[in-house]
């Protein structure tokens, strides 16, 4: 199988979708005692942006972090071990679903306080600039985060200091259950952000290749213009705000809306593209099987692993 | 070699020396590089190290704190300055939700060498938003170290330690101490955290004081000595970590104790200290521990009210007399540190 961009993107998409399906299938067993903010529907953003960032890229995100973690690392052992709260997790069970990280591969962390990783990304980007590194720091955040002071402060500071940071707004139009129309006293965030010394890129595509290409342009702009880029990407949140279930019967949104978006589901769309690109069904199935096996092994390892000993509570507080 | 320098100069020297030694150190915050140079403590630093390593910023405390966190986990050693601790309160989200716990949440694979300098203390009718101390609040948070130097030597040695520390350190400076002059010895280098400093040896009563209250305690000791009373004055220097062995040892010897904290007493550091001393010195104490601190009100503006708000040497003297069962000594003719004589406005 020739390793094309589209294949690499599909591998990430499928891994995220399948890992989250595995969470859904196992969540009722009450072994993963951590709040799940699922990435279902947003896979193309994590996959496209992370691939475009390359191996030197750095990223931070919100608590809706499964997609970013998996797109960045493509590993599932530490991932599931952390969700199961076991000693083999990246934080030995102290972080859980809302604070995933993979420092070694550039994922500097996730936070459960809305908008709180934006300033951290600006600081990380400042350090990269000072060190003369070509690394771009990206920060993923929701449309709720732009309501917060830290969003505006970070945007402003990044533009004043001209740091190589990529703001990635994952816009699902909802903060928990409250729509943007109840929260945003303006027409277009893109217009406002474009008044800053910052390049704005916007799309509501679910095509991961387009997101990848748009991100490459946003990164080029950071490098060329020496100021931040703002990448505004729309998506539809498939599941409830937190938890593994659908919630189309709650009254605040309709299944019809979901169906419209699902008709261009990023994972299915990319699979079709691979077929059009000349990969055959068996090849794709092979790739999917390998990922299925990887995930099964990781879940088994996580289930069998020990919890950290009680003294773990004291470790890692101070260097 | 010993030299006499001011507290302000001590801070400046610590920063300059560390910035020269380690090019990852940088200092930033609101008005850090303007001509007033944070009460003179960043004097010559922009000229010497350039605008990349010492710069004034937009007014966005919370983001500035998170910015420091991001730079720290990515290899730099930031110093973030707050002209008043009250402004640092806008950064409590980043400080308490992010900075303090970031290494923990990352399973120890990151370090956070971040110094947060915050200035406290009286000024020219500052009232209630430019006068807090807040060290108890910061010390309440696991993962934050809290340092509060009183002497120029401690200011320098502890700031060097703070900058070299791989963990977040809140460094609290009292603005009335900036003009205090004391000896520093260049050989000493960094001063380790957690070790109290005996500012004055004595036998009858231990006063544990923080920040400016040490100046008041030393004044009280000087006056009471004339009346045959010997106070021992101890400065914990760091609020967290707090190693209380030296304090306990002192109280075991004097069997009486006053805690004079530069803060409100209710739910404060003085309560923490008193509780520890009670548990370690139970049965040895000859009288209950007295706690002295701010009146439990916001700080008022007008001078007579402000004087009522802040404790001073007279409060310490009167408390000592009570604990020792003495009649009040005559204080007429004593020269107390007077705000009016030493400090003028406009700020
Ligand atoms: C500072 C803060 N306020 C409130 C909350 C509660 N809360 C959790 S997620 C959320 C909505 C955030 O929406 P958005 O940024 O759009 O992210 P999404 O969940 O849609 O990915 C809220 C209000 C929080 N975690 N942090
Ligand atoms: Mg949202």
């Amino acid at each position: 199988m020739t390793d094309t961009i589209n294949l690499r993107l599909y591998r990430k998409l499928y891994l995220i979708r399948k890992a989250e399906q595995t969470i859904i299938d196992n969540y009722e067993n009450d072994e993963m005692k951590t709040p799940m903010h699922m990435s279902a529907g947003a896979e193309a953003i994590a996959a496209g942006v992370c691939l475009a960032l390359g191996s030197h890229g750095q990223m931070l995100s919100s608590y809706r972090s499964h997609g970013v973690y998996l797109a960045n690392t493509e590993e599932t052992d530490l991932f599931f071990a952390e969700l199961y709260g076991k000693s083999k997790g990246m934080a030995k069970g102290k972080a859980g679903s809302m604070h995933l990280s993979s420092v070694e591969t550039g994922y500097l962390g996730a936070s459960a306080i809305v908008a709180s990783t934006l300033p951290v990304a600006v600081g990380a980007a400042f350090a990269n600039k000072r060190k003369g590194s070509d690394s771009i720091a990206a920060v993923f955040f929701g449309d709720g985060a732009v309501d917060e002071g830290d969003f505006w402060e970070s945007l402003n500071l990044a533009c004043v200091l001209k740091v190589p940071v990529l703001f990635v707004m994952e816009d699902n139009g909802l903060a928990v259950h409250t729509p943007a129309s109840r929260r945003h006293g303006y027409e277009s965030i893109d217009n406002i952000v474009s008044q800053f010394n910052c390049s704005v890129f916007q799309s509501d595509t679910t095509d991961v290749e387009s997101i990848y290409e748009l991100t490459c342009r946003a990164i080029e702009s950071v490098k060329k213009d020496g100021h931040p880029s703002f990448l505004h990407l729309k998506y539809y949140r498939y599941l409830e705000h937190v938890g593994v279930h659908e919630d189309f019967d709650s009254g605040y949104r309709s299944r019809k809306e979901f169906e419209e978006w699902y008709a261009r589901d990023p994972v299915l769309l990319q699979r079709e593209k691979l077929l059009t690109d000349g990969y055959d069904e068996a090849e794709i199935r092979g790739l999917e099987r390998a990922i299925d096996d990887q995930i099964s092994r990781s879940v088994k390892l996580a289930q069998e692993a020990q919890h950290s000993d009680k003294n773990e509570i004291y470790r890692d507080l101070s260097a | 070699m010993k030299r006499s320098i001011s507290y302000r100069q001590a801070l400046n020297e610590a920063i300059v020396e560390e910035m020269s030694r380690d090019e990852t150190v940088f200092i930033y915050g609101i008005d850090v590089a303007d001509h007033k140079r944070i009460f003179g403590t960043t004097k010559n630093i922009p000229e010497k190290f350039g605008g990349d390593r010492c710069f004034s910023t937009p007014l966005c405390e919370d983001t500035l704190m998170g910015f420091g966190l991001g730079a720290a986990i990515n290899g730099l050693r930031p110093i973030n300055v707050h002209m008043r601790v009250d402004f640092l309160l806008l950064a409590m989200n980043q400080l308490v939700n992010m900075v303090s716990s970031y290494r923990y949440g990352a399973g120890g694979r990151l370090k956070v060498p971040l110094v947060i300098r915050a200035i406290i203390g009286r000024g020219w009718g500052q009232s209630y938003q430019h006068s807090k101390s807040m060290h108890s609040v910061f010390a309440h948070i696991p993962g934050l170290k809290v340092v509060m130097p009183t002497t120029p030597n401690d200011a320098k040695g502890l700031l060097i330690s703070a900058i070299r520390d791989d963990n977040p350190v809140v460094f609290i400076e009292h603005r009335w101490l900036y003009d205090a002059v004391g000896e520093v010895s260049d050989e000493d280098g960094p001063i380790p955290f957690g070790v109290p400093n005996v500012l004055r040896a004595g036998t009858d009563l231990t006063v544990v004081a923080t920040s400016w209250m040490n100046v008041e305690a030393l004044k009280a000791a000087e006056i009471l000595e004339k009346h045959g009373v010997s106070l021992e004055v101890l400065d914990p220097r760091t609020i967290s970590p707090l190693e209380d062995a030296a304090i306990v040892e002192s109280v075991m010897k004097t069997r009486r104790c006053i805690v004079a904290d530069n803060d409100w007493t209710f739910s404060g550091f003085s309560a923490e200290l008193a509780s520890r001393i009670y548990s370690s010195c139970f049965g040895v104490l000859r009288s209950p521990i007295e706690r002295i601190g701010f009146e439990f009100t916001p700080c008022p503006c007008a001078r007579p009210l402000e004087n009522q708000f802040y404790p001073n040497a007279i409060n310490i003297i009167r408390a000592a007399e009570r604990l020792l069962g003495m009649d009040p000594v005559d204080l007429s003719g004593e020269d107390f540190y007077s705000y009016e004589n030493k400090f003028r406005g406009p700020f």
Side-chain angles (χ1 to χ4, degrees), chain A residues 58 60 90-92 94-95 99 101-104 108-111 113-117 119-128 130-131 149-151 153-154 156-157 160-161 163 312-319, chain B residues 23-26 52-53 55-76 93-94 97-98 100-112 142-143 145 165-167:
Chain A
Q58 290 186 315
L60 290 120
M90 81 283 301
K92 294 155 267 185
K94 293 186 282 201
H99 304 292
S101 64
S102 175
V103 175
E104 298 72 15
L108 298 179
S111 165
I113 301 293
V114 172
S116 62
T117 45
V120 185
V122 178
F126 174 80
N128 286 333
R130 265 285 309 281
K131 290 187 287 191
D150 268 7
F151 168 76
E153 293 185 1
S154 296
N156 184 52
L157 185 65
V160 168
L161 296 178
V163 298
E312 187 56 47
I313 192 173
Y314 304 112
R315 294 186 197 117
D316 303 330
L317 182 59
S318 295
Chain B
E23 64 172 26
T24 66
V25 179
F26 73 100
D52 272 358
R53 294 185 62 195
F55 53 94
S56 297
T57 62
L59 288 64
C60 52
E61 288 80 2
D62 201 49
T63 281
L64 292 172
M65 181 70 69
F67 171 86
L69 170 60
I73 62 175
N74 229 5
L76 301 184
N93 166 47
Q94 286 291 333
N97 282 322
M98 299 287 285
S100 63
S101 40
Y102 210 79
R103 176 183 166 80
Y104 196 73
R109 284 164 303 118
L110 291 168
K111 44 185 198 178
V112 185
K145 297 184 182 182
D165 203 292
D166 280 337
N167 302 288

Side-chain angles (χ1 to χ4, degrees), chain A residues 1-2 4 6-7 10-11 14-15 267-292:
Chain A
M1 250 177 145
T2 19
T4 58
N6 270 328
L7 189 75
Y10 183 66
R11 190 182 294 126
Y14 183 82
L15 175 71
V267 186
L268 300 179
L269 209 62
Q270 185 67 0
R271 195 177 200 281
E272 274 159 31
K273 193 187 293 166
L274 290 185
L275 289 168
T276 320
D277 281 359
Y279 292 100
D280 65 38
E281 178 67 28
E283 284 178 319
I284 299 173
R285 276 310 299 150
L287 174 150
E288 291 170 346
R289 281 281 149 67
I291 291 173
D292 296 348

Side-chain angles (χ1 to χ4, degrees), chain A residues 141 151 167 169 189-190 193 198-201 228-232:
Chain A
F141 53 91
F151 168 76
F167 294 105
M169 177 174 170
I189 185 81
D190 301 337
V193 175
C198 177
S199 310
V200 176
F201 301 81
S229 281
F230 179 78
L231 182 56
H232 179 182

Side-chain angles (χ1 to χ4, degrees), chain A residues 201-215:
Chain A
F201 301 81
Q202 194 275 337
S203 177
D204 62 0
T205 184
T206 55
D207 172 34
V208 68
E209 189 184 8
S210 306
I211 291 177
Y212 166 79
E213 280 164 1
L214 194 62
T215 311

Side-chain angles (χ1 to χ4, degrees), chain B residues 75-94:
Chain B
L76 301 184
R77 305 185 88 84
I79 306 173
N80 180 203
V81 188
H82 295 268
M83 192 76 95
R84 294 285 188 281
V85 79
D86 312 66
F87 312 155
L88 171 54
L89 298 182
L90 275 80
M92 285 303 266
N93 166 47
Q94 286 291 333

